Amino acid sequence: MQLIKVHGSENDFFLLDQTKLEVALSDKQLKELAIKMCNRITGLHGGSDGILVVDHSEHSGVLGQMRVINADGTEASMCGNGLRTVGRYLEKEYGQTTFKVETMHADLKVEKAPDLKSNVAAYNVEISPVSFMSETLPMFLDRETLVDDYVPEFSKTLKFSAVSVPNPHLIAFVDHETLEGPELEKIATYLNGENPYFPDGVNVSFVEKLDGHSIFVRTYERGVGFTNACGTAMSASSLMFVMLSDKQVPFETEINVRNPGGMVKTVVHQNDNGEYWMSLIGNATNVANVTVDLADAMNGDYSHAKWVPTNEQENYLEFISSIR
Ligand SMILES: N[C@H](CCC[C@H](N)C(=O)O)C(=O)O
């Protein structure tokens, strides 16, 4: 079985093209494979945050389908960093630089963007649909929407916003000390365990405003835990940054989003129907090409896996050190 180890802002995945397998893996097999292969200790070459599954799409004008399996085996409706790497893969497969990819709730636009530096490929992907309605997360709270408000059951001091893009996000703007403190993990582990508010869990992000057009986003991801970056969280955080800025941060302007794994740019849009959507622009790095026997992989035996690095990771790290 051929895999590519990929990352967007060091949010890393194994990309698996089901169309290249003799027999496509079942949902149950994909779940088991993710739990074993992504494990940071016993998994394949240090594991990953999840698996990106590429498959054929029956939708017209769409090059392929992307499914997202978190490291704990749960399936998510969307992955912003992952969609950039899938876009790059499909561009290579089909020779197109602008196209759509089918995801669970929408066919999303993907477009090749200018390289961030030599050998650091970049893509621009659409993040949508966006909704504040609690049932789209789902969230069970004493109100239909949660926008910049207190929820004492979560925190006595922080205000939160809840939005689906379309996977679920809970976002709080915090000062630097809180960004780096223990409260994010405390809240996120509670809301991703047994709790009456988010039965399917939720991605939780703390956001620090850096300057007029820059934020830092730290995310504890549903189904994974802390990641170097979460593309949908950075997009959702950018939306809240614009919406809560009292017009100081306008729509259609580029926002610099820093994260522990690097940085991306986002643009927040509002269409004529008043609906929001975001552009997420950032790297799509192929770290290595991997060959592993399917039966071995399903059994969690990676001792015979073949790992052939590309030369891209060094260039990515040079890019990151140049912007820090
Ligand atoms: N953990 C997320 C899926 C991955 C999203 C993230 N890696 C991104 O780049 O958007 C969830 O369960 O909703």
Side-chain angles (χ1 to χ4, degrees), residues 8 11-13 49 52 68-72 74-84 127 165-169 192 200-203 219-225 227 229-235 280:
N11 183 204
D12 62 341
F13 304 93
D49 292 332
L52 301 170
V68 187
I69 316 292
N70 286 317
D72 73 348
T74 57
E75 182 164 4
S77 56
M78 186 35 197
C79 178
N81 290 321
L83 184 55
R84 301 201 305 272
I127 305 290
V165 296
N167 59 338
H169 290 274
N192 284 290
D200 294 350
V202 62
N203 301 286
T219 305
Y220 184 104
E221 283 196 42
R222 173 180 68 168
V224 193
T227 59
C230 177
T232 47
M234 294 189 283
S235 303
L280 172 68

Side-chain angles (χ1 to χ4, degrees), residues 204-248:
V204 187
S205 296
F206 279 6
V207 186
E208 182 188 0
K209 293 175 192 163
L210 300 178
D211 63 32
H213 281 74
S214 306
I215 54 178
F216 191 103
V217 181
R218 184 181 177 220
T219 305
Y220 184 104
E221 283 196 42
R222 173 180 68 168
V224 193
F226 281 114
T227 59
N228 286 310
C230 177
T232 47
M234 294 189 283
S235 303
S237 302
S238 300
L239 170 63
M240 298 323 300
F241 185 38
V242 168
M243 284 181 66
L244 303 178
S245 72
D246 199 13
K247 297 193 182 350
Q248 295 307 303

Side-chain angles (χ1 to χ4, degrees), residues 14-256:
F14 290 109
L15 189 152
L16 165 61
D17 183 349
Q18 287 260 63
T19 68
K20 309 279 188 195
L21 296 179
E22 269 169 50
V23 179
L25 298 182
S26 67
D27 289 2
K28 186 169 173 296
Q29 286 176 307
L30 288 172
K31 182 184 179 78
E32 282 164 21
L33 184 65
I35 292 167
K36 289 198 172 78
M37 203 158 67
C38 302
N39 187 295
R40 290 292 184 192
I41 298 150
T42 59
L44 172 55
H45 214 278
S48 70
D49 292 332
I51 298 181
L52 301 170
V53 183
V54 175
D55 218 327
H56 289 309
S57 170
E58 308 306 319
H59 294 189
S60 63
V62 167
L63 277 194
Q65 177 198 45
M66 175 186 79
R67 292 175 66 188
V68 187
I69 316 292
N70 286 317
D72 73 348
T74 57
E75 182 164 4
S77 56
M78 186 35 197
C79 178
N81 290 321
L83 184 55
R84 301 201 305 272
T85 66
V86 167
R88 177 175 177 191
Y89 176 77
L90 291 172
E91 180 216 344
K92 181 169 173 289
E93 286 292 300
Y94 296 95
Q96 293 180 34
T97 54
T98 304
F99 47 89
K100 284 196 173 187
V101 175
E102 177 188 340
T103 64
M104 193 184 284
H105 293 307
D107 297 342
L108 300 176
K109 282 180 297 210
V110 170
E111 192 168 56
K112 187 171 175 53
D115 287 3
L116 301 179
K117 78 181 287 287
S118 71
N119 211 22
V120 181
Y123 281 74
N124 179 334
V125 299
E126 174 189 357
I127 305 290
S128 80
V130 173
S131 172
F132 288 94
M133 299 311 289
S134 54
E135 61 268 19
T136 65
L137 278 88
M139 172 179 71
F140 296 96
L141 210 56
D142 55 359
R143 62 203 93 168
E144 260 306 285
T145 62
L146 173 62
V147 177
D148 196 36
D149 203 355
Y150 295 103
V151 183
E153 300 87 336
F154 300 168
S155 160
K156 299 271 180 292
T157 55
L158 300 180
K159 291 199 283 185
F160 294 93
S161 300
V163 61
S164 65
V165 296
N167 59 338
H169 290 274
L170 185 69
I171 292 157
F173 283 86
V174 300
D175 61 21
H176 187 71
E177 192 189 347
T178 309
L179 179 87
E180 302 201 325
E183 196 168 3
L184 174 53
E185 184 166 20
K186 184 167 141 287
I187 295 169
T189 45
Y190 169 52
L191 296 180
N192 284 290
E194 266 310 299
N195 75 94
Y197 308 105
F198 293 95
D200 294 350
V202 62
N203 301 286
V204 187
S205 296
F206 279 6
V207 186
E208 182 188 0
K209 293 175 192 163
L210 300 178
D211 63 32
H213 281 74
S214 306
I215 54 178
F216 191 103
V217 181
R218 184 181 177 220
T219 305
Y220 184 104
E221 283 196 42
R222 173 180 68 168
V224 193
F226 281 114
T227 59
N228 286 310
C230 177
T232 47
M234 294 189 283
S235 303
S237 302
S238 300
L239 170 63
M240 298 323 300
F241 185 38
V242 168
M243 284 181 66
L244 303 178
S245 72
D246 199 13
K247 297 193 182 350
Q248 295 307 303
V249 184
F251 288 95
E252 302 303 327
T253 55
E254 265 194 1
I255 296 168
N256 298 309

